[in-house]
Amino acid sequence: MMEAMTLPPAPGRSRREGPLADLLSARTYRVALYVGLALPLGGLVFLLLAAGTLLGVLTLPLLVGAALLLGTLWLVPALAGVQRWLAGLLGVRFSRVLPPPTHAGVLAWLRATLSDGATYRALMFHTVQLPLAALCWVVLGSLLGVSLLALTAPLWARRPDLFPLMWDGGTVALSGLGVAGLVVAGLGGMLVTAAVLDLFGRMWGRLATALLANRADEVIARREVAALRRAAGRVALGDDLGATLADLAAQAQAASTARAVALVTPDGSVRSASGPDHPELHGPGPFVQAGGADVRLASGGGALATLPVVAGGRDGGTLRAVYAPGTGPTPDELAFLLSIADHAGTALHAAELIERASARAGEQERARLARELHDSVAQALYGITLGAKTARATLGRDPERTRASLDYTIRLAEGGVSEMKALLFSLRPDALEEGGLVAALAQHAHALEARHGLTVHAELGAEPRLSPAAQAAAYRVAQEAMHNVVKHARATQVWLTVREEGGQVTVRVRDDGRGFDADSLPGGTLGQRGMRERAREVEGTLDVRSEPGQGTTVTLTLPAGPHPVPQPGAEVGA
């Protein structure tokens, strides 16, 4: 079964330009042959279909009538195949092939044929072919007859006795200038006839394209669209480059007529492949410019299509498709394969960007860790060292000072431990899931007291029901709010509250610092904008209220998660 077709712009048309282009083009004479055959073929098709239908209706009471009607219905797509073959004279190509459908019985075939839109489009083509071909014959015959009559003016002008030219009851004798004018007019008529033939060829080509397409065209279109949609989703996911490239190769092979498809590196090694192995898929290939395609004969008689893979403006290798002997890709299929190659280039570029970002993020995280350790744990250790030395120096002669130094050292040690735990919470993505939000905030509050001398009133209560993403957002917002207290508020006390009421979880950070004029910053500071973005990402809201001299209150409200489902066999209250 013919599957898909292409109609290249002016196929077979000469590249010559000028008034004689149509007359000298081989396509003009192919169109003339098509128009010449269209009338008798259209008459034969119309006669077969009309006679089969009429005889089938008249003999319907007999068994032969049903057979005639079924045979006539079978002729509709069968004769459409003849029409498609004849349309090759116009440059219309039906090159890709699908296996013929199989039907379990006559009723299944009848149901499938009557439900196929291609049957009715083919019937419409058979119906309009005869009158349209007759019209073309009349127009072209008139133009050609008048043009030939004018071109033969020198012959019949010399024998006025055999070819008299009558005008107003008398005989007209043509002068040499008149004969030359008729010859020129005849040449012009031939040029007009060639142009009209080209116009008719385009008309018949469009008609064949619109009405002779069968179900396979729609199947291929849907298959290619589905493949491109899946490829785009796979590239957007970007979780595993190898799996992404393998899936792209599989989609290209499944949605095309190629026997095998491979994504090949610039040095000729195969990244991923789908279908049977072929020698043409290995080794260096031809150079192909971006956006182009190279189609050549492959070993074994098939075709090899090579398309470029461009990754961020650099050479990412090629996509190669091998076809069975005697087959090859159509322009539509090459466009589809080029889209798959573009997706492969995007996946390669995205993987490279992710690798760069990961390396850069690692460098930034190491620098941040160094600053955190220097500002917290390193200073705590230095203070512990000084306190221990002071206690040792005063151990025998000043017990009170020794006790004070040891108390100071213990506080610094406890603060250092809290700082380290808070730092571990910020570094480990699963720490919140293991320890919970309440434990993380308690560690951070303890570190805040030990390091900065603030008094933190923590009312944390029971662990709230939050998703991991909401837990992370709540911790980061509270961490940023308390960081702002230390950096800007000049506060002495901080109130940290976590509550779950009415299906909502509220995290509030309040201080007794100097506050600020919220109206002077309608969009908020950069830190506030970051906290609001975190809240929006987990469907929460953030409220920041402050007045000069009245402190600042940051309130984060999040939707509570579902109640935990009791495990089978678990004891109530365990």
Side-chain angles (χ1 to χ4, degrees):
M1 177 186 296
M2 295 297 179
E3 180 183 305
M5 58 193 165
T6 59
L7 184 62
R13 186 182 177 90
S14 172
R15 294 184 178 273
R16 303 185 186 91
E17 298 295 336
L20 298 179
D22 290 321
L23 192 61
L24 298 178
S25 173
R27 179 176 183 272
T28 301
Y29 300 97
R30 290 199 302 269
V31 172
L33 179 59
Y34 179 88
V35 174
L37 295 175
L39 185 61
L41 180 60
L44 178 61
V45 170
F46 183 81
L47 180 62
L48 288 174
L49 296 180
T53 303
L54 183 60
L55 290 176
V57 171
L58 292 178
T59 59
L60 191 57
L62 306 175
L63 292 179
V64 69
L68 284 173
L69 289 177
L70 290 176
T72 304
L73 182 61
W74 176 84
L75 278 176
V76 173
L79 291 173
V82 178
Q83 302 282 15
R84 293 188 189 98
W85 174 81
L86 189 63
L89 294 172
L90 303 173
V92 181
R93 295 290 181 265
F94 302 81
S95 54
R96 289 190 284 183
V97 178
L98 279 180
T102 57
H103 303 288
V106 177
L107 290 179
W109 169 82
L110 181 62
R111 189 182 303 111
T113 303
L114 292 178
S115 62
D116 191 358
T119 303
Y120 302 97
R121 292 194 296 269
L123 182 61
M124 184 179 296
F125 186 89
H126 298 327
T127 304
V128 302
Q129 184 183 32
L130 180 61
L132 192 58
L135 177 62
C136 292
W137 271 47
V138 170
V139 173
L140 292 174
S142 301
L143 287 173
L144 190 60
V146 172
S147 300
L148 290 176
L149 185 63
L151 285 174
T152 57
L155 298 178
W156 50 265
R158 293 183 179 180
R159 299 296 302 274
D161 53 331
L162 296 178
F163 307 100
L165 183 60
M166 308 297 294
W167 179 262
D168 197 18
T171 302
V172 178
L174 292 176
S175 63
L177 186 59
V179 172
L182 286 175
V183 172
V184 172
L187 291 175
M190 294 299 293
L191 294 177
V192 171
T193 303
V196 171
L197 265 173
D198 180 72
L199 180 63
F200 283 166
R202 294 175 184 275
M203 177 194 68
W204 281 104
R206 298 295 185 270
L207 191 64
T209 301
L211 298 182
L212 294 181
N214 54 32
R215 68 171 184 90
D217 303 303
E218 301 172 1
V219 171
I220 281 295
R222 288 195 298 267
R223 197 164 63 185
E224 290 180 351
V225 169
L228 290 176
R229 184 173 61 247
R230 176 170 175 175
R234 185 75 195 196
V235 172
L237 182 61
D239 54 345
D240 185 340
L241 178 61
T244 298
L245 295 180
D247 192 55
L248 289 177
Q251 291 299 314
Q253 191 263 337
S256 68
T257 59
R259 295 184 61 184
V261 173
L263 289 166
V264 185
T265 62
D267 61 4
S269 59
V270 176
R271 281 196 176 100
S272 60
S274 178
D277 193 21
H278 194 278
E280 298 286 357
L281 301 179
H282 303 270
F287 172 75
V288 187
Q289 293 183 348
D294 181 272
V295 181
R296 61 182 61 190
L297 188 64
S299 58
L304 171 66
T306 305
L307 302 100
V309 175
V310 181
R314 298 185 301 102
D315 182 15
T318 56
L319 183 149
R320 301 183 191 177
V322 178
Y323 291 82
T327 64
T330 65
D332 288 342
E333 185 162 303
L334 287 176
F336 163 71
L337 293 177
L338 185 60
S339 298
I340 294 292
D342 290 340
H343 282 305
T346 302
L348 291 171
H349 187 48
E352 181 181 353
L353 292 179
I354 291 173
E355 185 177 355
R356 291 181 185 175
S358 299
R360 180 61 178 165
E363 294 175 0
Q364 293 177 346
E365 186 63 19
R366 287 192 292 271
R368 187 187 73 82
L369 181 59
R371 289 194 302 268
E372 292 283 350
L373 290 174
H374 177 270
D375 294 340
S376 58
V377 180
Q379 291 187 9
L381 292 176
Y382 180 69
I384 291 170
T385 302
L386 290 180
K389 288 181 178 179
T390 302
R392 185 180 61 182
T394 60
L395 182 60
R397 54 186 176 84
D398 192 347
E400 291 297 328
R401 188 175 179 183
T402 300
R403 186 179 298 108
S405 296
L406 289 175
D407 290 340
Y408 171 74
T409 302
I410 291 172
R411 285 198 304 271
L412 286 179
E414 291 176 346
V417 171
S418 298
E419 289 276 6
M420 181 60 70
K421 288 183 177 179
L423 185 59
L424 291 176
F425 267 107
S426 66
L427 290 176
R428 289 181 56 202
D430 59 342
L432 281 172
E433 297 182 29
E434 294 178 2
L437 177 64
V438 170
L441 291 179
Q443 293 290 344
H444 198 77
H446 192 187
L448 203 67
E449 287 184 320
R451 180 177 174 185
H452 301 286
L454 292 172
T455 300
V456 180
H457 306 277
E459 298 179 10
L460 302 179
E463 182 69 24
R465 292 176 292 115
L466 291 173
S467 65
Q471 277 188 341
Y475 179 72
R476 296 300 183 188
V477 168
Q479 185 183 43
E480 178 67 22
M482 288 188 282
H483 174 74
N484 289 339
V485 171
V486 173
K487 188 175 181 180
H488 304 292
R490 299 179 184 175
T492 59
Q493 299 188 81
V494 179
W495 289 264
L496 173 61
T497 306
V498 177
R499 291 179 182 173
E500 180 180 345
E501 294 178 348
Q504 289 186 330
V505 176
T506 302
V507 179
R508 181 175 289 112
V509 178
R510 181 170 64 89
D511 65 75
D512 63 350
R514 59 179 181 173
F516 62 93
D517 184 4
D519 295 334
S520 64
L521 298 170
T525 63
L526 181 61
Q528 291 180 29
R529 288 196 292 271
M531 290 190 290
R532 294 185 193 279
E533 289 176 1
R534 289 186 183 275
R536 282 197 298 268
E537 289 174 357
V538 291
E539 300 181 354
T541 58
L542 185 78
D543 179 63
V544 180
R545 297 187 180 183
S546 183
E547 293 181 8
Q550 300 298 321
T552 301
T553 301
V554 177
T555 304
L556 172 66
T557 304
L558 299 169
H563 289 281
V565 179
Q567 297 297 322
E571 296 183 4
V572 178

